[in-house]
Amino acid sequence: MLLEPERYEHYEDLFYHFEATRREFIKVVGGGIVVLCLCGDALAQGRGGRGSGGAASQDLGAWLHIGEDGVATVYTGKVELGQNIRTSLAQAVAEELRVPPKSVQLVMGDTDLVPFDMGTFGSLTTPTMSPQLRRAAASAREMLLDLAAEQWKVERISLVVAEGKVTHAATNRSLTFGQLTRGQKLMRTIGGDIPLTPVDQWKIAGKSLRKVSGTEVVTGQHRHASDIKRPGMMYGKVLRPPSFGATLSSANLSAAEAMGAIALRDGDFVGVAATSDHLASQAFQAIDAKWQSSQQSSSSGELFDHLKKSATQAQVPGRAPGTSLGDADSRVRLEQGITSADLKLEQTYTVAYIAHAPLEPRAAVAEWNGDKLTVWTGTQRPFGVRGELAQAFRISEERVRVIAPDTGGGYGGKQTGEAAIEAARLAKASGKPVKVVWTREEEFSWAYFRPAGVIEVRSGVMKDGTLTAWEFHNYNSGASGIRTPYNIPNQKIQFHQTQSPLRQGSYRALAATANHFARETHLDELAQAVKIDPVQFRLKNLTDERQRAVLEAAAERFQWGKRKKGKDEGFGIACGNEKNSVVATCARIKIERPSGRVRVLHVVTAFECGAIINPDHLRNQIEGCTVMGLGGALFEAVEFENGKISNPRFSKYRVPRFSDTPHIETVLLDRKDLPSAGAGETPMVVVAPAIGNALFDATGVRLRSMPLAPKGMVA
Amino acid sequence: MAETRGAQPAISGARAEVVELRVNGIRHSVHTSPERSLLSVLREDLDLTGAKYGCGEGQCGACTVLVDGQPVRSCITRVSAVARKKITTIEGLAKNGRLHPVQEAFLEVDVMQCGYCTPGMILSAVALLKKHPHPSDEEIERSMEGNVCRCGTYPRIRAALRIAAQKMELLSKEGGHAAGT
Ligand code: FES
Ligand code: FES
């Protein structure tokens, strides 16, 4: 089974062609001021696979253009999928340029216009792209000051930049950016050494600003990839195998062709394209195909056994102090840590496969002009998809342009270019632009899933609550968030790869959700065993001040220890950290009788991700993470049997809806002294254990498998 | 093991005919098979792409439009069934350049993440507020349960509904037409 590249996220196999693109870019934008921004160190680190850091740091990260009309346009390979970075990046640029955010345009995810970017994932936009753009903007501002100083023959120091103008107060003169850039052709390349406006002086960044494309969205004007229309466009449909791994033996396309559709078989690919979506569906139905199914027939029933049995090598992610590499000495110490403990606990936790189910399924429109291919598609990795297309059609990447319009959800699930390749193949066959939109069923069956996993934990604790030993094995889910924030002297933490029966890939927060679920549930079990309050128990073993701060903030807002429990109610808490931000969540749940339905009534999440760029959008992300996390915690699970997904519809795969939504409170800790980290993922990692711990509190039943209560709690 | 997927019966033997549609106050004569879904006619024939495809089985609400003021899942509505009825899509909700109070409220609360569910949410909310000008949480749940927001912005949609309710009350007090549909 193919391992999705994004599973370990810092993946990259495409090279950016620096010189060629720079020249082309200058041709495209024309006069004015251009600032080319080289990747900072943070990004270079993420490009470990690229070989020497020196080469990577020469890559362009983004560019900024101030045209002769004074309009500032940013070009970035990041894409908008609902994390609202189009807004937060505009804010960051506006801050340094001293202009209103609405006068900053962003060109995003168009591979012909923006510099190479490995993709939008891993919460990297805010920590890496945002500072680059701020530096580019700060440097453009300095260039504008130079231009004005030269024109007026005055000292730069006597000039002020504000509201899109440079002003010389002494002589009451001012020039707009457009007046300054007219007739100019200036280009500057900058590195990481441009001074930025200190966070405590921010006027535009750090404040809530509404989604910049809000009006287009509420009026239905925004065009997602699935809304794109091209002259002469045809509609395509692709035949799927009846089960995973099945191979095509024969396909009779004559009936489809007789209807006037283009029908195509190329290897195992069978598809049709027709002038209307209706005709395409009819032609599609008329295909007569025979398949040879593969013998592999795993099912969700025996999944966890299978994962454990097929485990291959172990990996030790990073190396925490006391983390064992499996050498004899540390193994002995781990065993001593366990033997010397007053209490020992050994438990197994599991998580199911779940689906991203973005509301906009995979969609693409492809168009060939001679041997040049243009594809509009909703993706998190436009350059990755460009590479896939170049490979599939054996053409060079320069001949492929991928444009990623702001997309209807991704959550880690849109890093691949299936629909793009399918549309391009059909477009090639028909000689016309072709649109392919996956059905919900296709999206549920043929996209990739959040990995399932088995996690085994063995631990030791003293009666006073001191943790003495920690052994943690994760089979299949991944290594993100696997290290414990608690101070435990003897540790062994390992991730084991397995043979996943389903196609799996990255999912919002990756394995951090699974690992936090196991760790924080286990912590709760230990606290219970030594009869110490779960908050006190955690604090006793935590020294990290950021982690303590969010834990205490969440507990305080929730009134942990003071709040009265209603009938059939339970409270739970959990905390953790990932991607340089820290989080703690408290949940209040209620079991409805007699149905047994679990209602999450109230969730308090305290979150800290360094300096906050847009507090309201941060809140929105935390709320969204809570709702999405709740689905995986309580009821979402992909079921499969005989190589088929058995619940590939919203009527069978339950996603969170209005009635599932709790009252959500967010506590934001703004650390202006710390660099801003991304926030679209980490707020979800402790939702499940907080809910699970609350369920235990309500019922005395400990649930160790996610989803916790797909059919409610009858106990 | 061999598996066969024989040619399946064609979706419709029905021949194309002319269907009269009244969308956002404009009449269209659409030459189409009467079996097609309203959603695909709106999107593909009329290029009104504000109604979105999310599931095709009436389970997500992304395709919601108003037919004679009632919220309808256009993905499971045959186009012939709504001939000559008054259809409102998200593109036709603003009147004379003025946004509907629900649209304004969505902007004010800054509801949107990806925004794919938004048109369907707004139209469902418009229908709900018409029936219950001040809906309780339970009424919101009951009538909006069929609208999925995978980004999880439900708390904000709820807040936007409250604000929209106030706006509409104010408008009707002022005697202005509460941009109803
Ligand atoms: S697309 Fe119509 S309800 Fe989902
Ligand atoms: S905002 Fe993305 S689905 Fe609702």
Side-chain angles (χ1 to χ4, degrees), chain A residues 5 158 244 330 489:
Chain A
S158 63
F244 297 123
S330 53

Side-chain angles (χ1 to χ4, degrees), chain A residues 334-411:
Chain A
L334 178 77
E335 291 313 322
Q336 280 169 354
I338 297 221
T339 338
S340 66
D342 291 335
L343 270 154
K344 308 158 198 37
L345 185 63
E346 203 171 332
Q347 288 297 357
T348 302
Y349 307 84
T350 61
V351 302
Y353 288 107
I354 61 176
H356 308 80
L359 204 54
E360 178 184 36
R362 280 167 167 67
V365 174
E367 178 173 307
W368 291 86
N369 277 311
D371 60 358
K372 165 110 193 173
L373 171 64
T374 303
V375 179
W376 291 259
T377 188
T379 178
Q380 299 177 237
R381 295 174 69 233
F383 286 88
V385 173
R386 182 181 72 168
E388 286 182 43
L389 287 163
Q391 224 170 27
F393 296 98
R394 295 184 198 87
I395 53 178
S396 74
E397 289 183 356
E398 286 78 49
R399 303 226 297 264
V400 183
R401 176 181 189 179
V402 173
I403 303 171
D406 293 8
T407 297
Y411 324 110

Side-chain angles (χ1 to χ4, degrees), chain A residues 80-84 209-211 214-215 217-224 226-227 229 233 235 239 242-243 259 277-278 281-282 284-293 295 355-361 407-409 411 435 437-441 507-508 597 599 616-617 619-621 623-625 627-628 636 644 649-653 655-662 664, chain B residues 1-14 32-37 39-62 90-94 99 102-104 106-119 121-122 140-158 161:
Chain A
E80 174 65 62
L81 306 123
Q83 40 344 6
N84 280 327
L209 173 75
R210 288 185 198 157
K211 187 178 183 76
T215 306
V217 174
V218 300
T219 54
Q221 299 306 316
H222 172 67
R223 296 235 167 197
H224 293 90
S226 48
D227 303 327
K229 212 169 222 179
M233 187 179 82
Y235 298 81
L239 189 67
S243 58
M259 292 173 167
D277 59 337
H278 186 57
S281 301
Q282 287 183 313
F284 176 74
Q285 300 291 341
I287 299 172
D288 189 358
K290 291 192 177 48
W291 299 86
Q292 196 63 37
S293 63
Q295 284 317 308
H356 308 80
L359 204 54
E360 178 184 36
T407 297
Y411 324 110
K435 166 145 79 179
V437 179
W438 278 23
T439 62
R440 178 56 55 195
E441 195 161 341
Y507 181 99
R508 198 175 196 178
R597 176 175 175 175
R599 287 261 190 181
D616 194 47
H617 283 177
R619 286 214 161 81
N620 202 344
Q621 285 302 317
E623 291 161 9
C625 278
V627 172
M628 196 167 208
E636 284 185 43
K644 281 192 197 56
R649 300 169 160 270
F650 279 141
S651 50
K652 295 185 177 158
Y653 182 99
V655 293
R657 291 175 183 264
F658 266 97
S659 69
D660 298 307
T661 308
I664 302 170
Chain B
M1 192 179 25
E3 287 185 55
T4 309
R5 174 192 181 282
Q8 305 185 358
I11 297 176
S12 108
T32 177
S33 153
E35 311 272 302
R36 278 175 73 204
S37 72
L39 179 64
S40 71
V41 173
L42 288 173
R43 290 177 54 80
E44 310 305 345
D45 298 24
L46 304 182
D47 203 24
L48 293 168
T49 54
K52 308 290 180 187
Y53 167 87
C55 69
E57 55 163 350
Q59 289 284 329
C60 77
I90 192 72
E91 291 90 344
L93 195 58
L99 295 182
V102 175
Q103 290 172 309
E104 284 177 357
F106 266 62
L107 290 177
E108 279 167 33
V109 177
D110 211 0
V111 168
M112 284 81 67
Q113 291 190 20
C114 80
Y116 195 78
C117 68
T118 308
M121 288 287 180
I122 289 178
I140 294 177
E141 269 175 26
R142 211 173 314 127
S143 76
M144 304 282 288
E145 191 73 353
N147 287 78
V148 170
C149 174
R150 190 56 168 154
C151 297
T153 66
Y154 302 114
R156 281 168 188 253
I157 296 171
R158 216 179 262 170
L161 269 163

Side-chain angles (χ1 to χ4, degrees), chain A residues 516 546-547 550-551 574-578 581-585 605-608 682-686:
Chain A
H516 278 84
R546 292 176 71 196
Q547 189 69 71
V550 286
L551 181 62
C575 68
N577 67 86
E578 174 63 1
S581 51
V582 285
V583 62
T585 292
T605 290
F607 187 64
E608 186 256 287
T682 304
M684 89 188 291
V685 300
V686 288

